[in-house]
Amino acid sequence: MFPATAPTSLLPLRLFVRTTDGETDEENAFGWEFTQREEPWTGPGNQLRIRATWHGDKPVQAGLVVKRKLANPPERIVVPGLFYGDNGSGSPSTRYPRLGPLSSEAFTSPAWDFASERTPLPAVFAWTDDKLSWVAAEPNGTGIGFSMLEGDPYVSLHRPGVERPFRHDRTNEAPFEPLTTIKPGESIELRVWCGDNVPGEPASFATVQRALQRAWDEAGERHVDIALALAAADAAVEGLLRWHYRVEQQSGVLMETRLFDNSEVRDEMHVAWVSGAPTAYALLRHGLTRDDQKAVDAGRSVLDTVASGLAPCGAFWGIWTPRGWRAGWNGGPRKLHARTLSEATLFMVRALSIEPEHPEWADAARSNLDFCVRSLDENGNPGSYYDAETGEVLDRRGTAGLLWAAALAEAAGVLGAPHYIEAAQRIGAHYAEAIRKGDLLGAPEDIGLCPSSEDTYNALIATMSLLNCTSDRQWLELAQQSADWLLTYRWSYDVRFPAGSTLARRGYRTRGADIASPSNNHLHMYGLICQHELFELSRLLEDPWYSAQAINHFACFVGEVALRNGQFGGAERRGMMSEQWYTVDWSLEGRAGEVAPVSHAWCLGLLVLAAEEWADRGMALQGPPGDGHHQLTDEARIREAWRVRKAAHSQSARPKARGHVGKHKSLPDIVGKPHPVRLLPGFYGVGGGYLSHWRDAASYLLVDEVSGECLLVDCGSHAGLDALKANASQVADLNKLSLVIGTHCHWDHVEAFGHLRQDTDALFAIHTLDARAVRTGDPDLTCAGFLYNEIFHPFPVDIHLDGGERFQIGEYDLEILHLPGHAPGCIGVMLTYAGTGQTILVPGDSVQGSFGKKIKSSVSDWKRSVRSLMTRKIDFMVTNHLPPGSQTGLLADVPHRLARIYSQLETDFYNFADKQHM
């Protein structure tokens, strides 16, 4: 027996049986017994199991329908991946679900039902003036829907899933209303969730999505094999070079598509969006980090082509063809699309951050960015469409211009043009309300003003770029909201494909994939374009949810590039990869459980980009990284330890160092004699080489010029300690030295702290892997004995670092980067200067340092570390040592420096006596 916990009339749901004669409510459904049972549930709202049992004398064809009447007509309806408000206005050739009078020409209706396999989350969210009401059904074989008839608004759930008034299938749009055969004594059962949230809560729908995804987690978190990721990247690069790359009149282009059997080619190349600059950037980055000259040459050549394609208005043309440049796929021969142009510009800028020695790339990027600035209206709207000849803004509707904010923000540092920051902020501010409401539409130019997952990718990239550029927390809030809207397109469960279908045979899992848009009802992998931003957002929010979703997405597609001919049982060749995966029937070619048999350049490019980033992050085989939850604990522990230690020391009677805070004091410039070197306001070189002692590594002082508090990164050895203290005392009060961060345990970098701690209250921080060597004075691991013929006097470690910790002093935010290689505990310190938003890397010996078995060096770890730095935006770095003849200063052109060092495996001083191949 399946008892009801309460009479159904007491619950806000209405139950119906659906037969060939229509729908009948529970009061008039003779022969049917309806029961509801509330089940344990830790998420928002309630979880119920609803059952309709047939007590007739012969089998019947029937279905179960559950409806919830809304208290008020909703202001907005969202069905994840399928319906957002009125779904925009689309384009004349676009057919998709939309509110409005019933019209087959416009494909509109005031009521819609969908099979659950068409949505990433079988749920309906309805915003009214005072709350967010929602219902959800268990996935697979079910359906969801709503009716917005005047005065009688309902949201609904059903089993089996129905589709009306149209089926979302281009080959047959007739309503689809299947029934199930029910024998006497048998039941139809449906598990549902329903509830109300306060609409003003941040991400009120996102809390529901998180809870439901956990409830549907049948197979556990997805994992990625790093070896598979690298093999996939290699195959994808090979595929790009073999099947898509072509040299046309000494100019490189990427042919966008090629059928698996190699019979057809689309011989054109968008400057971005579906090939072009993003794919070229991926090839360039892969080639530089993997020493693949063919990939480097191809990437450069394609970027040269893109850079050469400027329209008369100063922006890029949209598409290269053998017949010349064209505007795009939007129907206007002179109509340029903002998203295509801004994405091309963004990845041109990112390519310049790796290889700045390309003036033609820089000129093309500036031309586009200046065009964007000219296009801004008084509200900061850059427009969505432009006239290629005149530059006139043809349409400002939608959010297609969002990605301009990212291109401008990142270009400000790369091109040395800080005035772009103000324009980027104006654009971000203009689109902020659209991000909050989820009114994100207009990005892919082939579907017009229709919402899509790609709009949410652009929003996340733009807001994260603005955050990195300005450190303004408003962008962090908007980035999280962008990510929450993005995840409404991300599959929350695994679809059960038709038996015998291609994806069923392969055991393909959909959890983590994205639906492209309401207009394009298939899975795609464009979400890899913002994988980095999701990881970074997860780290900043100390919330592992977003990292887990990035992992799930990559896991869906890392195995979808063919590693060998015919790997998937078809005509695919090694290095080919599809663009579309189908969960339901959608078109003549797109049937449930099948894959489009065509290789796409942009898919291969984004896979390469994501795989390289995966390798750079050093992901473990065990799945989701722990860089979400544990950082909260670590940072809180570190800050508390620092606070307590400072408080305890402030009451001690130990002698204090004498010094003077000289904020406005002019600094001496005496070459060859110890003196502090001012690099930026509050940032000084105070030790190493000619500044303190020839055997010392470089030391850097950060000063809060308001409070006087100061911090050292490395402190050298006792040999140069007096000079270091004298230098520091000219610009700071060493009584206010709070912390010394050691970049690793070697004698020339940190031995002086054992003496310095007698004069100050400062704490000492070093990576956990090097802490023991400092505490014990290990003569080998510290290099003190076999290299310097010195004794390393041990001292306590106050703070153990793991990487990812953050500190703040004065106008500088500090991030600890674990960069093993030279030593296991090598770190770099990334500074962000609030005055300009620029970043400065203090690398220790993590970039240029020797290798030896006595100090537990690892060349492979070093390569991974440098690769990780090559993915970051770094405006300047400082040197780790000051050999004779050198001077302290900020080193620009960091991406190029890193690439050169990596490719040549350079070191800045001799290898240790125990040379070896590692």
Side-chain angles (χ1 to χ4, degrees):
M1 185 64 181
F2 190 89
T5 58
T8 60
S9 60
L10 297 181
L11 295 174
L13 301 175
R14 294 188 62 190
L15 309 184
F16 298 81
V17 168
R18 184 173 57 84
T19 66
T20 54
D21 295 327
E23 293 180 358
T24 306
D25 64 27
E26 58 182 315
E27 294 179 357
N28 298 301
F30 299 109
W32 290 92
E33 177 189 2
F34 294 84
T35 56
Q36 296 185 51
R37 184 178 71 186
E38 187 169 0
E39 298 183 323
W41 170 243
T42 59
N46 301 96
Q47 176 179 313
L48 304 170
R49 189 175 296 272
I50 298 174
R51 173 177 287 180
T53 303
W54 172 234
H55 293 298
D57 56 5
K58 60 181 179 180
V60 64
Q61 296 288 305
L64 175 62
V65 179
V66 179
K67 294 186 178 182
R68 181 183 183 191
K69 187 174 182 178
L70 303 176
N72 300 299
E75 300 171 352
R76 181 176 174 80
I77 288 283
V78 167
V79 177
L82 289 180
F83 206 94
Y84 296 83
D86 65 359
N87 265 3
S89 59
S91 67
S93 61
T94 301
R95 295 170 66 79
Y96 53 89
R98 181 180 172 198
L99 280 175
L102 184 61
S103 166
S104 59
E105 289 76 20
F107 211 53
T108 61
S109 172
W112 286 93
D113 289 295
F114 307 94
S116 62
E117 288 80 4
R118 292 199 188 276
T119 171
L121 183 81
V124 184
F125 297 92
W127 278 261
T128 60
D129 55 355
D130 63 341
K131 61 185 175 183
L132 166 64
S133 298
W134 56 273
V135 295
E138 59 186 320
N140 290 304
T142 62
I144 40 85
F146 58 85
S147 58
M148 297 296 106
L149 299 174
E150 186 175 354
D152 199 22
Y154 283 94
V155 289
S156 58
L157 310 167
H158 30 85
R159 180 187 290 277
V162 301
E163 298 200 325
R164 53 192 177 189
F166 298 95
R167 192 181 188 199
H168 207 33
D169 181 353
R170 294 172 174 176
T171 64
N172 180 9
E173 293 177 352
F176 181 62
E177 303 178 276
L179 297 171
T180 301
T181 300
I182 307 296
K183 297 178 181 179
E186 292 183 340
S187 304
I188 312 174
E189 190 172 293
L190 182 62
R191 187 168 51 153
V192 305
W193 292 260
C194 61
D196 298 302
N197 291 33
V198 178
E201 286 183 0
S204 53
F205 66 88
T207 60
V208 177
Q209 173 161 295
R210 289 194 188 198
L212 291 175
Q213 180 160 342
R214 293 188 179 104
W216 300 337
D217 184 11
E218 298 177 354
E221 292 291 344
R222 305 205 62 173
H223 308 313
V224 174
D225 187 323
I226 191 66
L228 174 60
L230 294 176
D234 290 340
V237 168
E238 183 178 327
L240 281 168
L241 297 178
R242 183 174 184 183
W243 309 116
H244 295 274
Y245 178 65
R246 181 181 299 172
V247 177
E248 296 278 340
Q249 298 177 347
Q250 299 182 337
S251 181
V253 292
L254 289 164
M255 301 303 158
E256 288 178 350
T257 66
R258 183 185 290 260
L259 290 180
F260 281 174
D261 63 7
N262 206 26
S263 62
E264 291 184 22
V265 174
R266 187 163 78 216
D267 60 343
E268 58 186 31
M269 177 184 76
H270 279 71
V271 295
W273 179 36
V274 285
S275 53
T279 304
Y281 168 76
L283 283 170
L284 178 64
R285 180 171 154 183
H286 172 93
L288 289 173
T289 57
R290 299 282 201 92
D291 196 22
D292 184 343
Q293 193 59 43
K294 289 183 178 179
V296 170
D297 292 342
R300 289 172 180 162
S301 182
V302 172
L303 288 166
D304 287 343
T305 300
V306 173
S308 71
L310 293 179
C313 67
F316 289 126
W317 282 107
I319 303 176
W320 175 95
T321 77
R323 300 160 295 283
W325 289 97
R326 294 194 294 110
W329 284 355
N330 47 68
R334 292 169 44 179
K335 196 175 180 182
L336 300 174
H337 190 253
R339 187 277 186 89
T340 305
L341 307 184
S342 57
E343 187 174 285
T345 306
L346 173 63
F347 280 88
M348 186 70 74
V349 168
R350 290 181 174 179
L352 282 164
S353 72
I354 297 177
E355 284 200 339
E357 66 273 20
H358 294 275
E360 66 281 10
W361 299 358
D363 290 344
R366 287 192 190 95
S367 181
N368 276 270
L369 295 164
D370 293 342
F371 167 81
C372 171
V373 173
R374 293 194 301 270
S375 300
L376 296 180
D377 66 10
E378 65 277 9
N379 299 316
N381 186 338
S384 297
Y385 291 95
Y386 316 100
D387 187 294
E389 296 289 336
T390 67
E392 176 189 359
V393 178
L394 303 176
D395 194 342
R396 294 190 187 272
R397 294 177 298 166
T399 56
L402 241 175
L403 209 57
W404 280 122
L408 287 160
E410 296 189 23
V414 174
L415 298 179
H419 65 281
Y420 286 148
I421 297 176
E422 189 269 339
Q425 290 178 298
R426 288 182 61 197
I427 294 172
H430 170 72
Y431 289 122
E433 190 61 20
I435 293 173
R436 293 187 185 99
K437 293 183 176 180
D439 290 331
L440 299 167
L441 47 89
E445 61 183 78
D446 60 341
I447 61 173
L449 285 172
C450 178
S452 76
S453 56
E454 295 171 50
D455 291 280
T456 64
Y457 308 153
N458 296 344
L460 178 60
I461 294 170
T463 50
M464 288 298 292
S465 293
L466 284 164
L467 175 64
N468 291 334
C469 181
T470 67
S471 299
D472 188 335
R473 286 191 64 86
Q474 70 165 316
W475 305 121
L476 179 60
E477 177 186 341
L478 286 167
Q480 182 175 16
Q481 291 167 342
S482 300
D484 287 334
W485 284 114
L486 183 161
L487 295 178
T488 64
Y489 291 90
R490 190 144 294 180
W491 227 263
S492 299
Y493 63 95
D494 290 324
V495 170
R496 295 170 189 165
F497 295 111
S501 65
T502 298
L503 295 178
R505 292 196 309 270
R506 283 164 48 181
Y508 181 80
R509 293 179 58 193
T510 57
R511 183 173 181 182
D514 283 348
I515 188 172
S517 72
S519 295
N520 290 319
N521 199 214
H522 61 76
L523 305 184
H524 78 169
M525 52 173 287
Y526 218 114
L528 292 178
I529 201 169
C530 58
Q531 173 181 269
H532 170 76
E533 283 77 9
L534 275 177
F535 279 130
E536 183 68 4
L537 179 66
S538 207
R539 185 183 65 79
L540 292 174
L541 293 174
E542 299 166 336
D543 184 349
W545 171 255
Y546 300 103
S547 282
Q549 305 320 304
I551 291 167
N552 287 346
H553 191 61
F554 188 43
C556 271
F557 301 107
V558 67
E560 290 300 298
V561 61
L563 301 181
R564 61 182 185 277
N565 294 343
Q567 177 176 345
F568 305 125
E572 64 276 355
R573 319 288 181 87
R574 173 174 164 81
M576 287 186 167
M577 185 175 190
S578 182
E579 177 207 19
Q580 300 181 5
W581 294 256
Y582 305 103
T583 61
V584 284
D585 295 340
W586 180 65
S587 64
L588 183 63
E589 300 84 8
R591 312 313 289 171
E594 299 302 324
V595 177
V598 57
S599 181
H600 283 251
W602 71 260
C603 297
L604 293 167
L606 291 185
L607 182 69
V608 172
L609 194 62
E612 287 297 323
E613 182 180 2
W614 196 269
D616 293 336
R617 289 176 60 86
M619 292 294 181
L621 300 180
Q622 284 71 33
D627 63 350
H629 175 73
H630 86 272
Q631 283 191 345
L632 176 63
T633 303
D634 285 351
E635 185 168 356
R637 174 180 55 78
I638 289 168
R639 292 191 179 279
E640 179 63 14
W642 195 359
R643 185 191 66 78
V644 170
R645 178 74 177 225
K646 285 169 64 178
H649 279 241
S650 66
Q651 314 209 355
S652 70
R654 293 193 304 174
K656 304 293 184 181
R658 299 184 178 274
H660 173 69
V661 178
K663 180 178 179 182
H664 302 292
K665 186 177 180 180
S666 61
L667 300 179
D669 187 13
I670 306 172
V671 176
K673 295 183 179 181
H675 61 276
V677 176
R678 182 178 183 271
L679 301 172
L680 286 171
F683 182 36
Y684 303 88
V686 293
Y690 70 100
L691 298 183
S692 59
H693 191 276
W694 66 271
R695 292 206 297 184
D696 281 354
S699 298
Y700 296 94
L701 181 74
L702 292 161
V703 184
D704 183 338
E705 296 185 329
V706 175
S707 69
E709 185 177 22
C710 53
L711 176 155
L712 271 170
V713 179
D714 280 344
C715 55
S717 70
H718 71 272
L721 179 58
D722 289 340
L724 179 140
K725 290 165 61 177
N727 292 338
S729 294
Q730 293 186 54
V731 294
D733 183 351
L734 287 183
N735 290 325
K736 296 185 177 181
L737 181 65
S738 300
L739 182 67
V740 176
I741 299 175
T743 61
H744 56 297
C745 65
H746 291 173
W747 182 89
D748 56 327
H749 285 260
V750 298
E751 188 266 350
F753 188 77
H755 309 273
L756 183 63
R757 71 184 295 119
Q758 304 305 315
D759 298 328
T760 75
D761 294 332
L763 303 180
F764 182 78
I766 199 166
H767 195 276
T768 301
L769 295 178
D770 275 15
R772 183 180 179 279
V774 170
R775 292 196 307 268
T776 63
D778 188 296
D780 287 340
L781 294 180
T782 65
C783 304
F786 78 96
L787 184 62
Y788 293 105
N789 196 27
E790 292 273 0
I791 295 175
F792 189 106
H793 297 284
F795 53 84
V797 172
D798 303 297
I799 298 174
H800 290 73
L801 303 173
D802 295 312
E805 295 83 4
R806 288 180 177 272
F807 302 95
Q808 191 277 330
I809 186 166
E811 292 193 89
Y812 293 88
D813 288 312
L814 286 67
E815 179 185 4
I816 305 299
L817 310 179
H818 183 208
L819 302 169
H822 173 61
C826 268
I827 65 166
V829 182
M830 185 72 78
L831 311 178
T832 301
Y833 175 46
T836 62
Q838 291 174 309
T839 55
I840 307 100
L841 174 66
V842 183
D845 286 350
S846 61
V847 173
Q848 291 179 278
S850 303
F851 304 98
K853 63 184 179 182
K854 283 188 176 181
I855 58 172
K856 297 186 177 180
S857 299
S858 168
V859 172
S860 59
D861 284 349
W862 177 84
K863 288 183 175 181
R864 281 191 289 271
S865 295
V866 177
R867 283 159 58 95
S868 71
L869 290 175
M870 293 170 71
T871 68
R872 285 179 166 264
K873 172 185 174 294
I874 308 175
D875 298 306
F876 301 101
M877 63 186 292
V878 291
T879 186
N880 54 334
H881 284 261
L882 294 169
S886 69
Q887 296 291 310
T888 299
L890 295 177
L891 305 176
D893 194 18
V894 177
H896 186 245
R897 290 176 184 274
L898 293 175
R900 295 295 185 197
I901 291 170
Y902 182 91
S903 64
Q904 298 174 20
L905 198 65
E906 293 176 348
T907 59
D908 69 336
F909 53 97
Y910 60 88
N911 283 342
F912 288 30
D914 56 341
K915 294 178 182 178
Q916 62 177 18
H917 296 291
M918 304 184 71

